[in-house]
Amino acid sequence: MAASDETELLSTEIVNRGIIEDSPTFSIRVRRGLPDFLSSVNLKYVRLGYGYLLSHGFYFVTAPVLVVVFGAAIGKLTWEDFGLRLDLANAFLLVGLSCLVLYVHLHLTPRSTYLLDFACFRPPDHLKITKEEYIELARKSGKFNTKSIEFQQMVLKSSGIGDETYLPRIIFQPGYKITLRDGREEASMLIFGAVDDILATTRIRPKDIKILIVNCGVLNTTPSLSAMVINHYKLSHNVQSFNLGGMGCAAGIIAIDLAKDLLSAYPGSYALVVSTEVVSFTWYNGNDLDMLLPNCFFRMGAAAMLLSNHRLDWWRAKYELKQLVRTHKGMDNKSFKSIYMKEDAEGKQGLSVSQDVIEVGGHALKANITTLGPLVLPVSEQFHFFKSLLFNKNKNSKSKPYIPNYKLAFEHFCILATSKKVLNEIQKNLELTQECMEASRKTLERFGNTSSSSVWYELAYLEANARIKRGDRILQIGYGSGFKCNSVVWKALRSVKGNPGKSPWVLSKNST
C-alpha cells in the first residue's frame, strides 16, 4: 500500500498529539486497515471452496440416482403384481430394494447437525461499569502511569463500547494479583449461568449429554473447566469431554466444528458447547501500551449451545448447520505473533496486540470468505466472479476483480464484535449495509468484546428483535490469535423470537 494511502487510515487525534514521536510503542494505534479485497484474490482458496463442495456432492448426486432407479422399478409394477400373482421371490426383491434405499438414506447420507437452542449469560448489574468509572478505578488502583491512563481513555473513547458492559471489580483493587481462585470463581459464575439457562430452556437432563466441549482462551486449570462442568452437573461417566484453550476469540466456532464431528461419531447424541473468557486472567497491570488494548475491549460473557444430529430433533431445533469453514494463518510469523501472550520487562503477564493485527486479520478473513463463497453464493454471482478473474488476468487491465454480493447468500451477519475500527473496515470491504452490521455494533456497545461468545450475543439480539424468519441464513464469523478466521452458516428452521425470560437483551430491548 502506498504511503499516502496508509496516512488516510491513521487516527488524526494521535498524529496531532505527537504520541508516535514521544513513545514508539504508541504506534499500536497507528494501524493499517484491512487489505483491499478488491485488489487481489488468491485462487487457491477458490479451489479449496470448490473442493469442499465436490467432496460433499457425492451424497447429493447418488441419492437422487437411487431414488430414480427405485422409482422406475416400482413403476413397472401393476396393481395385479401386488395381488395374488405376487410370488415370494418378487416380494423379497421388493423388500430388499426398499431396505437398500432406506440404508443409503440413513447410513450413507450425512446426518444434519441441529442447534436446539443456545443461551447467553448476562452478569449481575453490580458488575456493570461505565467508561468513566473504568478510568477512575484504573487511576485509583495505582497500577498505571499517566501515559497508560491517557492511552486507555483514548482507546475507550473511540472503541464503540457503551456504559453497561461488565467487569470483575476485583481487578481494580490496589495490590491485586491474579489467583486461580478468582479465575475459577469468575468461570463458574459465567459457565454455570449459561448452562443453567440452556438446560432450563431445552429441558434436557444433564445425564443425557454425551458430548461436552468447553473453550476458554487464557484460563486453563487442573482439573479442566470441562471437568468442573461434569462435576457440577453430575454428567454421565462416559461423557466425551474436551477442553479447548489458547485458541482465542475464534475458538467458539472451532468448538462447534468439533461437536459436529463428534456427533457423527456418536449419532443420536446431545452435545453441549460452552464458550467463555475469564477477564481477570486477561487483565494486564503494567504500562506497555500494546498490552493494554485487551483491557479496554474484553468484557465478561459466556454462551452455551446444545446440538444434536438426531433426525427427529429437526422439528424442535431452531437452526440447522449448513457450512463451516476454518482458516489458519499460523505458518506466517507475523500472523502467529499478532496476538501473543507474554511478560513485560517487569514480569507482568498480558496479551500483546501487534500493530499489524488488522492487516493480518484482513488476510485471514479474505481467505476464509473466498473459500466459503462457492459453498453459499448463487450461481449468477459465481459466474460474474470467475468472468472477472479471467478478464483481469491481463496485467494491463485497470479494472478490479468482481467481488460477489454476499448479501445474496445471507439474510443476517454476526461478525465478532472486537472494536468499532475493525467492524468499520469489514463493512467497507464486504460492502455491507448498516442493517447487516447492526447486531455486531449493538453487541459491542452493550456487552463489549466477550471473545468467542460474542457471535451468540449477536444472534440473541436478532432473535430478541424478531428478525429471524424461517429459511433465513445466518453467517457467524470469528477470528482470533494464531491467526485464525472461522465462519459458520446456520439456516433457521422456524421463525424465532427470543425467550423474554432468558434473553440477555430483555432489559435493553426498548432502547435498541
Side-chain angles (χ1 to χ4, degrees), residues 307-503:
L307 297 97
S308 168
N309 67 353
H310 196 288
R311 300 184 193 278
L312 296 181
D313 278 332
W314 70 268
W315 65 271
R316 66 168 178 161
K318 282 186 174 181
Y319 304 96
E320 179 185 359
L321 194 157
K322 302 303 292 183
Q323 284 89 23
L324 195 151
V325 175
R326 292 167 55 181
T327 302
H328 207 304
K329 290 286 188 176
M331 66 291 298
D332 173 62
N333 286 334
K334 187 164 68 171
S335 299
F336 177 71
K337 292 193 174 182
S338 60
I339 301 176
Y340 202 81
M341 176 71 76
K342 69 175 188 178
E343 295 177 340
D344 64 11
E346 299 179 2
K348 296 178 180 179
Q349 183 175 282
L351 285 170
S352 172
V353 181
S354 164
Q355 61 180 345
D356 300 315
V357 68
I358 294 184
E359 182 185 8
V360 164
H363 286 301
L365 175 61
K366 182 174 67 172
N368 187 271
I369 64 172
T370 303
T371 305
L372 180 66
L375 302 174
V376 298
L377 288 169
V379 176
S380 60
E381 287 297 298
Q382 298 188 44
F383 172 76
H384 289 306
F385 173 66
F386 274 108
K387 184 176 71 173
S388 174
L389 283 181
L390 293 174
F391 180 78
N392 281 278
K393 281 186 176 181
N394 183 0
K395 295 182 179 180
N396 297 324
S397 175
K398 295 182 180 180
S399 60
K400 294 181 178 181
Y402 176 79
I403 295 300
N405 184 1
Y406 284 89
K407 297 187 291 294
L408 297 177
F410 312 107
E411 283 72 35
H412 308 285
F413 294 80
C414 297
I415 301 170
L416 186 74
T418 49
S419 70
K420 183 179 179 180
K421 169 78 172 179
V422 172
L423 294 179
N424 287 344
E425 291 288 341
I426 292 176
Q427 179 179 4
K428 181 181 71 174
N429 279 276
L430 294 184
E431 299 180 354
L432 300 178
T433 64
Q434 290 293 344
E435 183 179 1
C436 293
M437 302 297 297
E438 182 180 336
S440 298
R441 295 190 187 280
K442 291 292 186 180
T443 298
L444 178 63
E445 178 184 1
R446 175 64 179 86
F447 293 98
N449 182 352
T450 60
S451 189
S452 57
S453 64
S454 175
V455 293
W456 296 105
Y457 285 87
E458 295 167 24
L459 185 54
Y461 173 85
L462 295 172
E463 289 189 354
N465 289 275
R467 303 282 180 82
I468 305 296
K469 307 299 180 185
R470 181 178 181 181
D472 283 359
R473 295 154 298 178
I474 302 99
L475 173 65
Q476 291 179 323
I477 298 178
Y479 33 84
S481 59
F483 194 93
K484 301 177 289 294
C485 180
N486 304 321
S487 58
V488 59
V489 180
W490 302 95
K491 180 179 178 181
L493 299 179
R494 53 188 169 90
S495 297
V496 180
K497 292 184 179 180
N499 185 345
K502 301 297 180 182
S503 174

Side-chain angles (χ1 to χ4, degrees), residues 69-91:
V69 172
F70 182 69
I74 295 295
K76 295 179 181 179
L77 299 177
T78 65
W79 284 108
E80 294 181 353
D81 293 321
F82 289 95
L84 297 176
R85 295 177 55 186
L86 182 63
D87 58 29
L88 190 60
N90 288 334

